[in-house]
Structure formats: structure tokens, C-alpha cells
Amino acid sequence: MGLRFGLFLFAAVGIAANGADCRSIPQIQQFIDRTWAALRRSNAALLKAAADQKVARDGGPIVYVPHDLSLPTIEGEIRRQLTAAEFSKITLVPLPEDGEPSRPGLLYLPHPYVVPGGRFNEMYGWDSYFILLGLLQDGQVKLAKNMTDNLIFEVTHYGKVLNANRSYYLSRSQPPFLTAMVLEVFHRTSDTSWLKSTLPALEDYYDYWTRQPHLTSQTGLSRYDGGTDTPAPEVTQGELDSSGRNDYVRVIQYYRTHAVPEYDLTKFYDRASERLTPLFYRADRAMRESGFDPSGRFGPFSAAILDYNPVDLNSLLYRMAMDISTIYTVLHQSQAAELWEMRARNRADVVNRLMWDEARSLYFDYDFQHKRRSGYGFLTTFYPLWVGIATPQQAARVAAQVSLFERAGGLATSTQVTGDQWDAPFGWAPLQLIAIRGLRRYGFHEAADRISTKFLSMVARDFAQHGTIKEKYDVVTARSDLSASLQFGYGTNEIGFGWTNAAFLVLYDELSLSAREQFQSACPGS
């Protein structure tokens, strides 16, 4: 606990220290092919899709149908795909027009999709982008399009891309990658009619992020928001330690025993009653909307997140506006394309003005309440490179700082050790992919190859030892065993795993010839 905000000073450990040979590339690719099938969900296997390890419920599985669609029509569609015995175990219920239903259940989606794996047995917002990249790498264009169409469906009928399609996720979204998914699919299909059909949902989803409570009037930029100020059910019921304590109990214990200089603790913790406040729960849900749950990026447990314009979110919104501009260009609507490009450029200007730190050569989140940058080193500093906001000079200076994050197994999520899973020494596949592609965009291919090789080697060697691909890794030890370091959040390391599978395929494919030969030489049979 005392190391929570200490500097990350671990020495790099060589990958060879694992003592295990990595499997051949064909073996790993075959495993991933099998895993896509195992992680596929659809209405034809609705009982499997409805199963949920995170939140307990009474009775059989409930599937909620959007209130603006015909329940009898969807019931008939599902009946045709299930046996009578299977259908009898499911309860179809119209979703209330407002609020979250009291009984947890699956939210109906029309098309097949791929889930991350383990306890995450539903379709997630930002996971789906990375999974889509892996599916396209494997030539599964139809399934990738189905997943994109499901997210378009969510915006149209649930109001946003959801954190995931469970009823207890209705209050929040996840980092917005939908326009990138649309363009990835379009580049494979060239279907301009379909592309045009996505625009209403894409513009509505952009509006979700650029109006209050996500819009901050002080800067014109956006923030994450939790949507409500109650405890998250998946935390209270599903994120328990060996003593049966959920993460909120552990947070209270931390607040009881630690000084917190990063923010005004009284806003989030009532010491007299030993309770977390409604504002804490709203911030906690905002942290979960960000996807980085938890980290110390916005103070302990990210409780001050509502005061920040995050560099990742605003980079994604820049890309979203540029993507919509690209779609209008493809559709020969130049006036609309220029309008969306102007929105993107305006956002880029503000990001570079408020979030670029000239002295430290990194991008940081912006505290709009106190008018200052956070100074917390986090891999999201590479998002402006990935989307193209950074100037060549800024990109070169960020690239020169990569040693702050680079370890034996790739890139650590942050420069801080906090016990949170989205901090050092942990590394996650999506951030490897974004940082590496950001480096490549500006011509830093040697660094990109080096980091890719470290990450690929770690995953391959760990796969040789355990026969699985995991959600996250300790990039200092280059292993998937996290038990000694992980203190906050859920204590498991889920197997499957959708976005790690995808990152492995994509990063391997994008290696230079010399880097690929070097990597293959370490894997017998490749």
C-alpha cells in the first residue's frame, strides 16, 4: 500500500528468464482460430449468451428487448432459433423507457458477436474494436460487420454504445471506437449503401460525448461520466477478494488508513459514517466508462475523474469527427465533410494547447477545474500519435520518452505502481497496439518492432507454459501471474482473451521482415 504512488523503478527482466520456449506461430494462430469460435455468441445459443458470472439473479435468464421494438416479433425470431425446451428457460421482457431495471439481464442484440472471455460473457464497447481487428486479420469479415451492426443497434435503441449488453451497464458507454470499426468494415466491403446507413447512429453517438454531462464548458472538451451515483452491481456482487470483500470495502479501508493529498477526500468519503459518497459512485462509474478500471490516474481509484478532460477520450473524439468527415467524402458530400473536419481540427488545437507538456515531452490529462495538467505518466500519451493530432516534432519527443514505459514484456500502462490493474507493472494488449501503431504512423518503426517483439514473445512464452492467452500481463516479469502485485479491482486474469488474441495477430503481421525473422527464430517450428 505504501508503494501506491511511488515511482516505477523496477529493472527490466529479460524474457529468456522465463525459461520456457515459446510455441510456434502456427500453433498460436490455431489456438486463436479455435478461441474465436468458443467466444462467439448469438441468439441461436441464447442460454450460453445470457449466462452471467458477475451479478446474481433469481430465476432463469432474462433478456430485455428495446421498448421501441415489437416484443412479439423478436420473440418469434428467437423461437425459430431455439428448441422449445431452451426457449422455456428464457424470459423476454420489454426494457423500461427510463432507468435500469431492478432484475439484471442480457440486452437483446440482433447479430452474432464475440465476447472477451472468462467472466466477460457479453459484447463490450471498446473490446469490440480490437476483436474486430483480429477477426478481419483472420478474414472473418461477416462476423466483424455483425459486431459493428450490433453497436449501431445499441446507439439506435439503447442510446449509446454500451459498456456491454447487460442491463446494469445501461448508464454508461466505453471509449468511442465505433467510427473506426465502420471504416474498417467498409474498407473490406466497399458497401456505400451500408456506410451511408450508419451515419445517423454515428452522429448521435458523437452527440452523446459532446453534450453535457460529458461536455465541459470550461474547455469545450469532453470527459467521462458515470450516468448515475449508485454502486455498480458488478462490483458489489462480482469483484470479491478471498475474504469476501468487494472493491468498495477495500477502498473504504484505504481511505480510513491513508492520507490523500491528490483531491479533497471529503467529497468522496464520509469518515464519520465510514461510507463512500454518491459522488464517489458517480466517479467510479465514470472510471468504468473510461475502460481503465481502476487506476491511480486521477488520484487514488481515479475518484477525481469528473474534473478531467482525458487525452484518450478527446483524441478518440478527434478521430471520430475525422472518420465521419471521411465517410461524407466517400459519399461525395463535401460540405458536410468540411464541417466535420473543422470540428476535428478545433479539438486537436485545444488538445495540443492544454494537454501537451513542453517540458516533459508527453501528453497529460487536463484538470479543467484547477487549470493544470495531471503530470501522471500514462500510456494514453500515445493516443495523439495514433490518431494523428501530434506534430512530427511532438511525436518524436514522445517516442524519445518510451523508455519510461518499456519493460521486458512490452509497455507498462503507467509510470506508477499503485496496486491497480491499470497501472505499472501491468500491460494490456489494446494499449500496446495503440502505442505501437502511433509510433509507426510517425516513422518510428525500429521502436515499434522492438516493443512488438517483446510483447509477442511474452505472450508466446506464457502460452507455452499455460496453454492460454490472458487478459493482461505483468510486463516486468513478462508473465501472466499477477497475484503478488494486484490489489484493487477484480483479482482474476481472464482467459480467452479477445483483445489479446487480436493484438497478437495484428502486431505479428505488422512486424518488419527482419523483426519477424528474429521473433520466429525464438519459436521452434515457426
Side-chain angles (χ1 to χ4, degrees), residues 292-320:
F292 301 110
D293 52 317
S295 79
R297 182 178 167 195
F298 306 106
F301 317 109
S302 284
I305 189 172
L306 296 171
D307 293 342
Y308 282 86
N309 297 133
V311 64
D312 51 305
L313 175 58
N314 286 283
S315 296
L316 288 169
L317 292 175
Y318 164 85
R319 173 160 183 176
M320 195 173 189

Side-chain angles (χ1 to χ4, degrees), residues 159 205 281:
Y205 189 42
Y281 290 121

Side-chain angles (χ1 to χ4, degrees), residues 173-217:
S173 185
Q174 274 200 321
F177 286 86
L178 180 55
T179 55
M181 293 176 67
V182 167
L183 286 177
E184 290 284 355
V185 170
F186 174 71
H187 291 154
R188 272 70 172 185
T189 65
S190 302
D191 186 343
T192 52
S193 295
W194 175 79
L195 184 68
K196 182 177 181 180
S197 74
T198 68
L199 275 169
L202 297 182
E203 294 190 2
D204 284 349
Y205 189 42
Y206 184 86
D207 185 58
Y208 168 82
W209 288 107
T210 55
R211 65 174 188 266
Q212 292 183 343
H214 292 97
L215 175 67
T216 61
S217 59

Side-chain angles (χ1 to χ4, degrees), residues 147-330:
M147 293 185 66
T148 308
D149 283 333
N150 276 341
L151 297 189
I152 295 291
F153 179 91
E154 287 186 359
V155 175
T156 303
H157 298 287
Y158 299 121
K160 63 185 82 70
V161 170
L162 298 171
N163 187 146
N165 62 317
R166 297 282 181 192
S167 58
Y168 47 85
Y169 290 139
L170 279 165
S171 74
R172 64 183 190 262
S173 185
Q174 274 200 321
F177 286 86
L178 180 55
T179 55
M181 293 176 67
V182 167
L183 286 177
E184 290 284 355
V185 170
F186 174 71
H187 291 154
R188 272 70 172 185
T189 65
S190 302
D191 186 343
T192 52
S193 295
W194 175 79
L195 184 68
K196 182 177 181 180
S197 74
T198 68
L199 275 169
L202 297 182
E203 294 190 2
D204 284 349
Y205 189 42
Y206 184 86
D207 185 58
Y208 168 82
W209 288 107
T210 55
R211 65 174 188 266
Q212 292 183 343
H214 292 97
L215 175 67
T216 61
S217 59
Q218 297 93 327
T219 61
L221 297 177
S222 297
R223 65 175 179 177
Y224 293 109
D225 185 82
T228 188
D229 58 8
T230 57
E234 72 275 17
V235 178
T236 58
Q237 298 186 42
E239 297 184 3
L240 308 179
D241 64 13
S242 58
S243 301
R245 302 176 306 164
N246 66 48
D247 209 43
Y248 296 140
V249 175
R250 297 195 294 273
V251 170
I252 290 172
Q253 182 180 18
Y254 181 88
Y255 282 158
R256 186 191 306 129
T257 56
H258 289 74
V260 181
E262 289 81 7
Y263 48 70
D264 180 358
L265 183 57
T266 62
K267 292 181 178 180
F268 306 109
Y269 173 59
D270 183 336
R271 191 172 295 276
S273 63
E274 289 201 339
R275 291 182 180 177
L276 301 173
T277 67
L279 183 61
F280 176 89
Y281 290 121
R282 189 174 195 99
D284 178 74
R285 288 189 182 235
M287 174 190 67
R288 296 172 193 283
E289 184 172 71
S290 79
F292 301 110
D293 52 317
S295 79
R297 182 178 167 195
F298 306 106
F301 317 109
S302 284
I305 189 172
L306 296 171
D307 293 342
Y308 282 86
N309 297 133
V311 64
D312 51 305
L313 175 58
N314 286 283
S315 296
L316 288 169
L317 292 175
Y318 164 85
R319 173 160 183 176
M320 195 173 189
M322 288 297 289
D323 287 346
I324 294 174
S325 176
T326 297
I327 293 170
Y328 275 116
T329 298
V330 170

Side-chain angles (χ1 to χ4, degrees), residues 382-438:
F382 286 92
Y383 274 64
L385 280 65
W386 180 66
V387 303
I389 285 176
T391 66
Q393 294 77 20
Q394 288 169 323
R397 292 174 65 180
V398 172
Q401 300 296 316
V402 74
S403 61
L404 293 172
F405 304 97
E406 188 174 352
R407 299 294 180 263
L411 298 174
T413 306
S414 79
T415 59
Q416 309 286 336
V417 175
T418 64
D420 295 329
Q421 63 176 359
W422 284 97
D423 273 314
F426 308 121
W428 296 70
L431 296 187
Q432 312 294 317
L433 189 58
I434 284 175
I436 290 165
R437 282 189 158 184

Side-chain angles (χ1 to χ4, degrees), residues 119-120 293-294 413 420-423 425-430 432 455 458-459 462 469-475 478-483 486 488-497 499-500:
R119 65 196 289 266
F120 302 111
D293 52 317
T413 306
D420 295 329
Q421 63 176 359
W422 284 97
D423 273 314
F426 308 121
W428 296 70
Q432 312 294 317
F455 181 75
M458 174 184 66
V459 174
D462 196 79
I469 291 179
K470 299 294 182 61
E471 175 191 24
K472 52 188 178 280
Y473 295 83
D474 182 328
V475 295
R479 298 174 185 268
S480 63
D481 180 7
L482 313 180
S483 58
L486 187 59
F488 300 101
Y490 52 91
T492 55
N493 193 0
E494 303 302 323
I495 64 172
F497 191 83
W499 62 20
T500 315

Side-chain angles (χ1 to χ4, degrees), residues 96-161:
E97 290 193 33
D98 297 306
E100 184 180 305
S102 58
R103 296 178 66 193
L106 186 73
L107 300 177
Y108 167 82
L109 292 174
H111 306 293
Y113 52 91
V114 174
V115 302
R119 65 196 289 266
F120 302 111
N121 187 40
E122 47 274 320
M123 183 175 174
Y124 281 78
W126 74 319
D127 292 69
S128 293
Y129 168 71
F130 299 97
I131 290 170
L132 173 139
L133 295 180
L135 293 174
L136 292 175
Q137 189 69 41
D138 264 355
Q140 299 194 50
V141 177
K142 182 177 180 181
L143 185 52
K145 181 178 181 295
N146 281 337
M147 293 185 66
T148 308
D149 283 333
N150 276 341
L151 297 189
I152 295 291
F153 179 91
E154 287 186 359
V155 175
T156 303
H157 298 287
Y158 299 121
K160 63 185 82 70
V161 170

